Amino acid sequence: MSKRLLPVLLASFFLAFLLVLWPASSEAADTDIQNGSFVLFGGASSVSDGGASDGSAAHMGNSGLGWNIQYRNWDFGSLKPGASYEIYARVKVHHAVSAPTGGAFSLAVYDMTNARYVLAERTIVASATTNDVWANYKIGTFKLNNGVNLLSFYVAQTNNAAQVSDIYVDKFIFREYVPYTIEDNSFLLAGGAALVHEPTAADGSAARMANGPGAGRNIQAPIDGARIEAGVPYDVSVVVNTERSNFLHATGDAFGVGVYDATAGAFVSPPKVYTTADDAIKFRYAFVWGITLPASVTLNPAHDNRVVFYQVDNAGQYQALRVDKVILTKYAVDDGAAPLISAYPYKISPGNADGLNDTTEINYQLTGTQTVSVTVSNSSHAIVRTLLSGVSQSGANKLTWDGKNASGGVVPNDLYTVEVKSGSTVLLSQNVLVQNGVSVTAPTVNTAKDYFPKGVWFEGAAIPKNSADAAAYAKAAFEKIRDAGMNTVIIANFNPDDTAVFTAVLDEAAACNLKLIIHAYVFRTVYNDALNNDESAMYQAIAANLAPLKNHSALFGYLLYDEPPHNNPRLVDTLTDMKRMMESIDPAHPVMVDLSGVHSAEEYYPSTQTQMLTSDPYGALAGRNAGDFTNLGYPNVHYENLLDLLTLQVRRTPANAAPFWTILQAFGQEGWYREPTEPEIRAMTYEAIGRGSKGFYYFMYQTEIDWEGMVDAQGIPTVKYGWISQLLSEIETLKPTILGMRKIANAATASGGGGGSGAYANADVTTHENAATGDKYLVVVNHNVASSAPVTITIDRSKLGIDISGITDVYANAAVSYTASAGSYTISGLSFAPGAGKVLKLTKSASMQTVSGQDGAFTVFGGAQKNQADVSASDSSSAVQTTGATAGWNMQWYWNKTSFVPGATYDLYAVVKIKYAHDVVYDANQYPSFPQPTGDAFTAAAFDGTTNTYVTAPITVAAGSMENMFWHTVKIGTFVPSQTHTEYVYVAPAANASQVQAVYVDRFYFVKH
């Protein structure tokens, strides 16, 4: 077949040759495509050959330039996702003369969809072949599963029959590319360097080189020339660990490293001295991450090349260097779309309409202004949909295809081609595969809802790589964690090479009655384009990742991602899909995503909807006065309103029962965070309680280069261990109260207890309610973290909505003195230690007589709905009215006249919340702020339907006076209910949709005087 005349593929060709079932490949295993799957042209044929691997081969003569032996495919999804493969053809030739010259045959990989080479054609010269001897000839290295474009793997003639008369092809070989690793037992050691036991190294050992005077190259990793290719650039990574005399505060040079050509007597790349300032050595456990040298290198395989480590004269700070291994990785191209067009995802499953890869986004770049049409064709070249017709465009453009035809029906499974055309000329094309999707199911119960974690963040990279050492390490750590009063451990970056390490660590957790939330480092291997585009492959990869974990009794759940970055919609989509798949594979264990800050919470939680909302709102920034938790990265984003915004992500959906779990700051980091004092850790903890947190983790357990943990570098408890142990003891006492209460709109104010050098005028106070008992609570936190302070608390009785019979300090189980007046309850001069918090129970008076009407008894009009699921409502449902252009009396309660004592006076209340139309706004710099709505939220009144007169004067509640999605108790009026007339109470949402999205009513109730 001529290179200039590539044939058009017919539908029958697809059926015959493209639907090849690939065996799953394991690491470094070969996947062979035998000649029975080839496409033959120009007289090429299959012949018997006893030397071929399956007894037959494809044969062609050499009297032309045709690509007459090809393997064609478009879906390589069953190969390891995201992995690189080395591609070979097993070929033999017959020499027409004893010493042939010229070309024997050519090989390449060609993208037939985009008419471009993926791996450029290379010609094997006749002198490099042996007559009638099979040999593997390399075409190149690339990633095969980053697209579904039609690829041709070919062996071509060279029109040189006078020298090489016959060409035979046995098979094409796909061999997973594994980076070349040089382990420490292959190192050359000098100057006292030696192998030592290193539990956190993958092979249990490392080469140790002491620092000191001179620059001895005392550890050298020799590079085997047979393992590298000439003319190919390699990235060089070193997996190392440094020993420091002062673990947290070592300074200066740490070690030197370079790539040295001993044959030429010169460095291939300039040697580099790593210092304390280099981010690469800031982690104690670089054995996990490794360090990639600044520049790639191209080596001569015939030379004696070595990666050399040399000492630095700074042993007082950095005593020694430990080296586990050296890794050389070569660059590999992929088979993705041409640079000017792409589809994401390129495999879609619109048929099940489950939100997993149901649509594809087509991005394309035009080099100039064109009048274009965009069509979608099936494998028979019939157009099924026109996405764009005759539109003038230039530059970057984007379209979405939903997998449907022109009639709106879902297209059948097939390979489809999106073509960007100018008239009849195809400018760009991209394939999209429509296939069956995976079936995912949602958990029937929220397994996190009633769990109260008291835990710590734990660096999994510190865990040894073999099960015996891992068990010993985990036992020592978990016993201390248990003794600190903890029940849960988040293990981040946990990446054992042996899955037995998972079991060993989980077993030790079970022995200490601890539950683990595991961030298996292997999850990160799922974040690659091949899996993002292929839900079936992603599902299989996740199932394999969860298999060694999911059946252990000590497992509580999975940490899928820690602090996902801002403005990454593709990652939002990927994490959402992964979370749904993980819950389907293992519904017993919830999935956690740790959200950091305003942007992260706003972008990820509405989509991921994890069973708990977890965030790390650290308050003590570097350069701030003690106790100042304001302006956390952005103006007007304070610790308090950040916590409220985080919990709002859950409250936005009234039926969502997800708890809020807080990762609390117990560390400092130079240039970023100030090491918090004990009163500050206490204040941040109690403020989190006040903002609705139902679980706590402290960051972190181990001491790392940039922060000091609960234990030091030797595992000995630091002062913070005692601080946090005491806090957790208090939280354990408070736990039943915290679990039973929910935050509502504030009914109290505080005087005194300000701090942060003026950042706060007074103590922080929040109001809560126990829906089951009717008792209410205040959480009060002293902002003064330097000294004790008396705090006076004034409680507005009309906002509280109940009569109380006593106030109790819940932790101390002690009565708190207060005074009562017609309008308020006042606690005077309550003493608080520095940064201290108190939970105060306001016991509902047993003598208080009420008459209540829940939303189920309402009469609704004008689009209002009742009995809507609402986990925060007193009976788990509420009535809701979406605001519009009118303000009707659309939520009404007609009470039963016989429920009241004749002639008695009653106060009438409504329990109402509103949803702001705008929760967060961002300025041109993407700085967030939290606007208060303007105008009215609603009006309310009691009305006499018999006389058509008001029983109470209508009240109007300003939107700005209401907290976003927190229940408010609103006093409507005081009167004597009629024993004869028909009376009712209403709430009428204001016609203020630009400021208030919706108004909710839980109940109305009367309190008898």
Short mmCIF file of all heavy atoms in Angstrom, two decimals, residues 77 79 81 347 349 352 354 356-357 435-442 523 525-548 550 574 576-587:
data_model
loop_
_atom_site.label_atom_id
_atom_site.label_comp_id
_atom_site.label_asym_id
_atom_site.label_seq_id
_atom_site.Cartn_x
_atom_site.Cartn_y
_atom_site.Cartn_z
N GLY A 77 -7.51 0.36 26.11
CA GLY A 77 -7.87 0.58 27.50
C GLY A 77 -7.57 -0.58 28.42
O GLY A 77 -7.49 -0.40 29.63
N LEU A 79 -4.83 -2.24 28.49
CA LEU A 79 -3.46 -2.15 28.98
C LEU A 79 -3.44 -1.32 30.25
O LEU A 79 -4.43 -0.66 30.58
CB LEU A 79 -2.57 -1.52 27.91
CG LEU A 79 -2.39 -2.32 26.60
CD1 LEU A 79 -1.50 -1.56 25.64
CD2 LEU A 79 -1.82 -3.70 26.88
N PRO A 81 -3.52 1.45 32.59
CA PRO A 81 -3.87 2.85 32.31
C PRO A 81 -2.73 3.81 32.63
O PRO A 81 -2.13 3.75 33.71
CB PRO A 81 -5.08 3.11 33.21
CG PRO A 81 -5.66 1.76 33.46
CD PRO A 81 -4.48 0.83 33.51
N LYS A 347 -14.05 8.54 26.01
CA LYS A 347 -14.93 7.39 26.12
C LYS A 347 -16.13 7.81 26.95
O LYS A 347 -15.96 8.27 28.09
CB LYS A 347 -14.23 6.21 26.80
CG LYS A 347 -13.07 5.63 25.99
CD LYS A 347 -12.47 4.42 26.70
CE LYS A 347 -11.31 3.83 25.92
NZ LYS A 347 -10.74 2.64 26.58
N SER A 349 -20.43 7.13 28.15
CA SER A 349 -21.48 6.12 28.33
C SER A 349 -22.80 6.82 28.60
O SER A 349 -23.31 6.80 29.73
CB SER A 349 -21.12 5.19 29.50
OG SER A 349 -20.87 5.96 30.67
N ASN A 352 -26.66 5.11 30.25
CA ASN A 352 -27.20 4.92 31.60
C ASN A 352 -27.50 6.23 32.31
O ASN A 352 -28.05 6.21 33.42
CB ASN A 352 -26.24 4.07 32.45
CG ASN A 352 -24.85 4.67 32.53
OD1 ASN A 352 -24.63 5.83 32.19
ND2 ASN A 352 -23.89 3.88 33.00
N ASP A 354 -26.03 8.31 34.16
CA ASP A 354 -25.72 8.29 35.59
C ASP A 354 -24.77 9.40 36.02
O ASP A 354 -24.34 9.43 37.17
CB ASP A 354 -25.12 6.93 35.97
CG ASP A 354 -23.80 6.65 35.26
OD1 ASP A 354 -23.39 7.45 34.39
OD2 ASP A 354 -23.18 5.61 35.56
N LEU A 356 -21.73 9.77 35.04
CA LEU A 356 -20.33 9.35 34.88
C LEU A 356 -20.02 9.35 33.38
O LEU A 356 -20.50 8.49 32.64
CB LEU A 356 -20.09 7.96 35.45
CG LEU A 356 -20.21 7.76 36.95
CD1 LEU A 356 -20.01 6.29 37.30
CD2 LEU A 356 -19.20 8.60 37.69
N ASN A 357 -19.25 10.31 32.94
CA ASN A 357 -18.80 10.36 31.55
C ASN A 357 -19.96 10.20 30.56
O ASN A 357 -19.88 9.43 29.60
CB ASN A 357 -17.74 9.29 31.29
CG ASN A 357 -16.45 9.57 32.03
OD1 ASN A 357 -16.37 10.48 32.85
ND2 ASN A 357 -15.42 8.81 31.72
N GLN A 435 -19.70 3.62 24.76
CA GLN A 435 -19.64 2.27 25.30
C GLN A 435 -20.59 2.13 26.47
O GLN A 435 -21.19 3.11 26.94
CB GLN A 435 -18.22 1.95 25.76
CG GLN A 435 -17.73 2.88 26.87
CD GLN A 435 -16.31 2.59 27.32
OE1 GLN A 435 -15.64 1.72 26.81
NE2 GLN A 435 -15.85 3.34 28.30
N ASN A 436 -20.73 0.91 26.97
CA ASN A 436 -21.49 0.70 28.19
C ASN A 436 -20.70 1.22 29.38
O ASN A 436 -19.48 1.04 29.46
CB ASN A 436 -21.77 -0.80 28.41
CG ASN A 436 -22.71 -1.35 27.36
OD1 ASN A 436 -23.59 -0.66 26.87
ND2 ASN A 436 -22.50 -2.60 26.99
N GLY A 437 -21.37 1.87 30.31
CA GLY A 437 -20.69 2.36 31.50
C GLY A 437 -20.76 1.37 32.63
O GLY A 437 -21.41 0.32 32.53
N VAL A 438 -20.07 1.67 33.69
CA VAL A 438 -20.15 0.84 34.88
C VAL A 438 -21.43 1.16 35.64
O VAL A 438 -22.02 2.23 35.47
CB VAL A 438 -18.93 1.04 35.79
CG1 VAL A 438 -17.65 0.67 35.06
CG2 VAL A 438 -18.84 2.48 36.28
N SER A 439 -21.84 0.25 36.46
CA SER A 439 -23.03 0.46 37.28
C SER A 439 -22.60 0.81 38.70
O SER A 439 -21.91 0.03 39.35
CB SER A 439 -23.89 -0.81 37.30
OG SER A 439 -25.01 -0.66 38.14
N VAL A 440 -22.96 2.00 39.16
CA VAL A 440 -22.61 2.40 40.51
C VAL A 440 -23.89 2.60 41.32
O VAL A 440 -24.93 3.00 40.79
CB VAL A 440 -21.76 3.69 40.53
CG1 VAL A 440 -20.43 3.47 39.85
CG2 VAL A 440 -22.50 4.85 39.88
N THR A 441 -23.79 2.31 42.59
CA THR A 441 -24.92 2.49 43.50
C THR A 441 -24.48 3.37 44.66
O THR A 441 -23.31 3.37 45.05
CB THR A 441 -25.41 1.14 44.03
OG1 THR A 441 -24.32 0.45 44.66
CG2 THR A 441 -25.96 0.28 42.90
N ALA A 442 -25.40 4.12 45.20
CA ALA A 442 -25.11 4.99 46.33
C ALA A 442 -25.36 4.23 47.63
O ALA A 442 -26.23 3.36 47.71
CB ALA A 442 -26.00 6.23 46.29
N PHE A 523 -3.80 5.67 45.47
CA PHE A 523 -4.91 6.40 44.86
C PHE A 523 -4.39 7.43 43.86
O PHE A 523 -5.04 7.73 42.88
CB PHE A 523 -5.74 7.12 45.92
CG PHE A 523 -6.53 6.20 46.82
CD1 PHE A 523 -7.02 6.65 48.02
CD2 PHE A 523 -6.78 4.90 46.45
CE1 PHE A 523 -7.74 5.81 48.86
CE2 PHE A 523 -7.50 4.05 47.28
CZ PHE A 523 -7.99 4.50 48.48
N THR A 525 -2.14 7.19 41.77
CA THR A 525 -1.89 6.62 40.45
C THR A 525 -3.17 6.61 39.62
O THR A 525 -3.11 6.37 38.42
CB THR A 525 -1.35 5.20 40.56
OG1 THR A 525 -2.36 4.33 41.10
CG2 THR A 525 -0.13 5.14 41.45
N VAL A 526 -4.30 6.83 40.26
CA VAL A 526 -5.57 6.86 39.53
C VAL A 526 -5.77 8.21 38.85
O VAL A 526 -6.58 8.35 37.95
CB VAL A 526 -6.73 6.55 40.50
CG1 VAL A 526 -8.07 6.60 39.80
CG2 VAL A 526 -6.54 5.18 41.11
N TYR A 527 -5.01 9.23 39.27
CA TYR A 527 -5.19 10.54 38.67
C TYR A 527 -4.38 10.63 37.38
O TYR A 527 -3.35 11.29 37.32
CB TYR A 527 -4.74 11.65 39.63
CG TYR A 527 -5.27 11.52 41.04
CD1 TYR A 527 -4.51 11.88 42.13
CD2 TYR A 527 -6.54 11.02 41.27
CE1 TYR A 527 -4.98 11.75 43.42
CE2 TYR A 527 -7.02 10.88 42.56
CZ TYR A 527 -6.24 11.24 43.63
OH TYR A 527 -6.71 11.12 44.91
N ASN A 528 -4.81 9.93 36.36
CA ASN A 528 -4.15 10.08 35.06
C ASN A 528 -5.21 10.10 33.98
O ASN A 528 -6.34 9.65 34.15
CB ASN A 528 -3.11 8.98 34.83
CG ASN A 528 -3.71 7.60 34.67
OD1 ASN A 528 -4.50 7.36 33.78
ND2 ASN A 528 -3.33 6.68 35.56
N ASP A 529 -4.85 10.67 32.84
CA ASP A 529 -5.84 10.90 31.80
C ASP A 529 -6.50 9.63 31.30
O ASP A 529 -7.68 9.61 30.98
CB ASP A 529 -5.18 11.63 30.62
CG ASP A 529 -5.01 13.11 30.88
OD1 ASP A 529 -5.67 13.62 31.80
OD2 ASP A 529 -4.21 13.75 30.18
N ALA A 530 -5.73 8.55 31.24
CA ALA A 530 -6.32 7.32 30.73
C ALA A 530 -7.51 6.88 31.58
O ALA A 530 -8.52 6.41 31.06
CB ALA A 530 -5.26 6.22 30.69
N LEU A 531 -7.40 7.03 32.89
CA LEU A 531 -8.50 6.63 33.77
C LEU A 531 -9.57 7.70 33.85
O LEU A 531 -10.75 7.39 33.98
CB LEU A 531 -7.96 6.31 35.16
CG LEU A 531 -7.13 5.03 35.24
CD1 LEU A 531 -6.63 4.82 36.65
CD2 LEU A 531 -7.93 3.84 34.79
N ASN A 532 -9.19 8.96 33.81
CA ASN A 532 -10.20 10.02 33.83
C ASN A 532 -11.16 9.87 32.66
O ASN A 532 -12.33 10.24 32.74
CB ASN A 532 -9.54 11.40 33.75
CG ASN A 532 -8.75 11.72 35.00
OD1 ASN A 532 -8.86 11.04 36.00
ND2 ASN A 532 -7.94 12.76 34.92
N ASN A 533 -10.66 9.34 31.55
CA ASN A 533 -11.47 9.22 30.34
C ASN A 533 -12.19 7.89 30.22
O ASN A 533 -13.03 7.74 29.33
CB ASN A 533 -10.57 9.39 29.12
CG ASN A 533 -10.19 10.83 28.85
OD1 ASN A 533 -10.94 11.57 28.23
ND2 ASN A 533 -9.04 11.24 29.34
N ASP A 534 -11.88 6.94 31.07
CA ASP A 534 -12.42 5.58 30.91
C ASP A 534 -12.95 5.10 32.25
O ASP A 534 -12.21 4.62 33.11
CB ASP A 534 -11.30 4.66 30.42
CG ASP A 534 -11.81 3.27 30.03
OD1 ASP A 534 -12.89 2.87 30.51
OD2 ASP A 534 -11.12 2.59 29.26
N GLU A 535 -14.26 5.20 32.42
CA GLU A 535 -14.84 4.86 33.72
C GLU A 535 -14.69 3.38 34.05
O GLU A 535 -14.54 3.03 35.22
CB GLU A 535 -16.31 5.28 33.78
CG GLU A 535 -17.21 4.57 32.79
CD GLU A 535 -18.63 5.14 32.81
OE1 GLU A 535 -18.86 6.18 32.17
OE2 GLU A 535 -19.50 4.54 33.46
N SER A 536 -14.71 2.52 33.07
CA SER A 536 -14.55 1.09 33.35
C SER A 536 -13.16 0.79 33.88
O SER A 536 -13.00 0.06 34.86
CB SER A 536 -14.82 0.27 32.08
OG SER A 536 -16.17 0.43 31.66
N ALA A 537 -12.15 1.37 33.24
CA ALA A 537 -10.78 1.16 33.71
C ALA A 537 -10.58 1.78 35.08
O ALA A 537 -9.89 1.22 35.94
CB ALA A 537 -9.79 1.74 32.71
N MET A 538 -11.18 2.95 35.31
CA MET A 538 -11.07 3.59 36.62
C MET A 538 -11.70 2.71 37.70
O MET A 538 -11.13 2.52 38.78
CB MET A 538 -11.73 4.97 36.61
CG MET A 538 -11.69 5.67 37.95
SD MET A 538 -12.50 7.29 37.94
CE MET A 538 -11.27 8.28 37.12
N TYR A 539 -12.87 2.18 37.41
CA TYR A 539 -13.56 1.33 38.38
C TYR A 539 -12.70 0.12 38.75
O TYR A 539 -12.56 -0.24 39.93
CB TYR A 539 -14.89 0.88 37.79
CG TYR A 539 -15.83 0.20 38.76
CD1 TYR A 539 -16.79 0.93 39.44
CD2 TYR A 539 -15.77 -1.18 38.97
CE1 TYR A 539 -17.67 0.31 40.33
CE2 TYR A 539 -16.63 -1.81 39.85
CZ TYR A 539 -17.57 -1.05 40.53
OH TYR A 539 -18.42 -1.67 41.40
N GLN A 540 -12.09 -0.52 37.75
CA GLN A 540 -11.25 -1.69 38.01
C GLN A 540 -10.02 -1.32 38.84
O GLN A 540 -9.63 -2.06 39.75
CB GLN A 540 -10.83 -2.31 36.68
CG GLN A 540 -11.98 -2.93 35.91
CD GLN A 540 -11.60 -3.30 34.49
OE1 GLN A 540 -10.42 -3.29 34.12
NE2 GLN A 540 -12.60 -3.62 33.66
N ALA A 541 -9.42 -0.16 38.52
CA ALA A 541 -8.24 0.26 39.27
C ALA A 541 -8.58 0.56 40.72
O ALA A 541 -7.84 0.20 41.64
CB ALA A 541 -7.62 1.49 38.61
N ILE A 542 -9.71 1.22 40.94
CA ILE A 542 -10.12 1.53 42.31
C ILE A 542 -10.43 0.25 43.08
O ILE A 542 -10.04 0.10 44.25
CB ILE A 542 -11.33 2.48 42.30
CG1 ILE A 542 -10.92 3.86 41.79
CG2 ILE A 542 -11.95 2.60 43.69
CD1 ILE A 542 -12.08 4.81 41.57
N ALA A 543 -11.12 -0.67 42.44
CA ALA A 543 -11.45 -1.94 43.12
C ALA A 543 -10.17 -2.66 43.55
O ALA A 543 -10.10 -3.20 44.66
CB ALA A 543 -12.28 -2.82 42.19
N ALA A 544 -9.15 -2.63 42.70
CA ALA A 544 -7.88 -3.27 43.06
C ALA A 544 -7.22 -2.54 44.22
O ALA A 544 -6.62 -3.16 45.11
CB ALA A 544 -6.96 -3.29 41.85
N ASN A 545 -7.34 -1.21 44.25
CA ASN A 545 -6.73 -0.43 45.33
C ASN A 545 -7.41 -0.69 46.67
O ASN A 545 -6.76 -0.68 47.73
CB ASN A 545 -6.82 1.06 45.01
CG ASN A 545 -5.91 1.45 43.86
OD1 ASN A 545 -4.99 0.73 43.51
ND2 ASN A 545 -6.17 2.60 43.27
N LEU A 546 -8.71 -0.89 46.65
CA LEU A 546 -9.45 -1.07 47.89
C LEU A 546 -9.39 -2.51 48.42
O LEU A 546 -9.62 -2.74 49.61
CB LEU A 546 -10.91 -0.68 47.71
CG LEU A 546 -11.22 0.76 47.26
CD1 LEU A 546 -12.70 1.05 47.38
CD2 LEU A 546 -10.41 1.78 48.04
N ALA A 547 -9.07 -3.44 47.55
CA ALA A 547 -9.16 -4.86 47.92
C ALA A 547 -8.37 -5.20 49.19
O ALA A 547 -8.90 -5.91 50.06
CB ALA A 547 -8.72 -5.74 46.75
N PRO A 548 -7.12 -4.75 49.37
CA PRO A 548 -6.39 -5.15 50.58
C PRO A 548 -6.82 -4.40 51.84
O PRO A 548 -6.29 -4.66 52.92
CB PRO A 548 -4.93 -4.82 50.23
CG PRO A 548 -5.01 -3.73 49.24
CD PRO A 548 -6.25 -3.99 48.44
N LYS A 550 -10.49 -3.10 52.44
CA LYS A 550 -11.90 -2.88 52.74
C LYS A 550 -12.53 -3.87 53.72
O LYS A 550 -13.58 -3.56 54.29
CB LYS A 550 -12.71 -2.85 51.45
CG LYS A 550 -12.79 -4.17 50.71
CD LYS A 550 -13.69 -4.03 49.47
CE LYS A 550 -13.90 -5.35 48.78
NZ LYS A 550 -14.83 -5.19 47.63
N THR A 574 -13.21 14.29 38.30
CA THR A 574 -12.55 13.02 38.58
C THR A 574 -12.80 12.56 40.01
O THR A 574 -13.13 11.39 40.25
CB THR A 574 -11.03 13.15 38.34
OG1 THR A 574 -10.80 13.48 36.97
CG2 THR A 574 -10.31 11.86 38.67
N THR A 576 -15.24 13.36 41.96
CA THR A 576 -16.65 13.02 42.11
C THR A 576 -16.91 11.61 41.59
O THR A 576 -17.58 10.80 42.24
CB THR A 576 -17.53 14.03 41.36
OG1 THR A 576 -17.30 15.34 41.89
CG2 THR A 576 -19.00 13.68 41.50
N ASP A 577 -16.36 11.30 40.41
CA ASP A 577 -16.54 9.95 39.86
C ASP A 577 -15.88 8.91 40.75
O ASP A 577 -16.45 7.85 41.02
CB ASP A 577 -15.93 9.89 38.45
CG ASP A 577 -16.71 10.70 37.43
OD1 ASP A 577 -17.80 11.19 37.78
OD2 ASP A 577 -16.22 10.85 36.30
N MET A 578 -14.67 9.19 41.21
CA MET A 578 -13.95 8.23 42.04
C MET A 578 -14.70 7.98 43.35
O MET A 578 -14.83 6.84 43.80
CB MET A 578 -12.55 8.75 42.33
CG MET A 578 -11.62 8.75 41.13
SD MET A 578 -9.98 9.38 41.52
CE MET A 578 -9.37 8.09 42.60
N LYS A 579 -15.19 9.05 43.94
CA LYS A 579 -15.92 8.90 45.20
C LYS A 579 -17.15 8.01 45.01
O LYS A 579 -17.44 7.11 45.82
CB LYS A 579 -16.30 10.28 45.72
CG LYS A 579 -17.19 10.30 46.95
CD LYS A 579 -18.63 10.59 46.61
CE LYS A 579 -19.53 10.71 47.82
NZ LYS A 579 -20.95 10.88 47.44
N ARG A 580 -17.89 8.23 43.93
CA ARG A 580 -19.09 7.42 43.69
C ARG A 580 -18.72 5.96 43.46
O ARG A 580 -19.41 5.05 43.93
CB ARG A 580 -19.85 7.97 42.49
CG ARG A 580 -20.47 9.34 42.72
CD ARG A 580 -21.25 9.82 41.50
NE ARG A 580 -22.35 8.91 41.21
CZ ARG A 580 -23.03 8.91 40.06
NH1 ARG A 580 -22.67 9.75 39.10
NH2 ARG A 580 -24.02 8.08 39.86
N MET A 581 -17.63 5.73 42.73
CA MET A 581 -17.21 4.34 42.50
C MET A 581 -16.75 3.68 43.79
O MET A 581 -17.07 2.51 44.05
CB MET A 581 -16.09 4.33 41.45
CG MET A 581 -16.53 4.73 40.07
SD MET A 581 -15.14 4.70 38.91
CE MET A 581 -15.92 5.40 37.44
N MET A 582 -15.99 4.40 44.60
CA MET A 582 -15.51 3.84 45.85
C MET A 582 -16.68 3.46 46.76
O MET A 582 -16.67 2.41 47.40
CB MET A 582 -14.57 4.83 46.55
CG MET A 582 -13.25 5.02 45.80
SD MET A 582 -12.28 6.41 46.40
CE MET A 582 -11.70 5.77 47.97
N GLU A 583 -17.69 4.32 46.83
CA GLU A 583 -18.85 4.01 47.66
C GLU A 583 -19.63 2.83 47.12
O GLU A 583 -20.27 2.10 47.88
CB GLU A 583 -19.76 5.24 47.75
CG GLU A 583 -19.19 6.36 48.58
CD GLU A 583 -20.12 7.54 48.67
OE1 GLU A 583 -20.97 7.73 47.76
OE2 GLU A 583 -20.02 8.31 49.64
N SER A 584 -19.61 2.66 45.80
CA SER A 584 -20.31 1.53 45.21
C SER A 584 -19.56 0.23 45.47
O SER A 584 -20.15 -0.80 45.80
CB SER A 584 -20.46 1.75 43.69
OG SER A 584 -21.17 0.69 43.09
N ILE A 585 -18.22 0.28 45.36
CA ILE A 585 -17.39 -0.90 45.60
C ILE A 585 -17.39 -1.27 47.08
O ILE A 585 -17.42 -2.45 47.44
CB ILE A 585 -15.96 -0.64 45.10
CG1 ILE A 585 -15.96 -0.48 43.57
CG2 ILE A 585 -15.01 -1.75 45.52
CD1 ILE A 585 -14.69 0.12 43.02
N ASP A 586 -17.37 -0.25 47.93
CA ASP A 586 -17.28 -0.49 49.38
C ASP A 586 -18.21 0.47 50.11
O ASP A 586 -17.77 1.49 50.64
CB ASP A 586 -15.83 -0.30 49.85
CG ASP A 586 -15.66 -0.61 51.34
OD1 ASP A 586 -16.62 -1.12 51.95
OD2 ASP A 586 -14.58 -0.33 51.88
N PRO A 587 -19.50 0.18 50.14
CA PRO A 587 -20.45 1.11 50.77
C PRO A 587 -20.33 1.20 52.28
O PRO A 587 -20.89 2.11 52.89
CB PRO A 587 -21.82 0.52 50.37
CG PRO A 587 -21.56 -0.93 50.11
CD PRO A 587 -20.18 -0.99 49.54
#
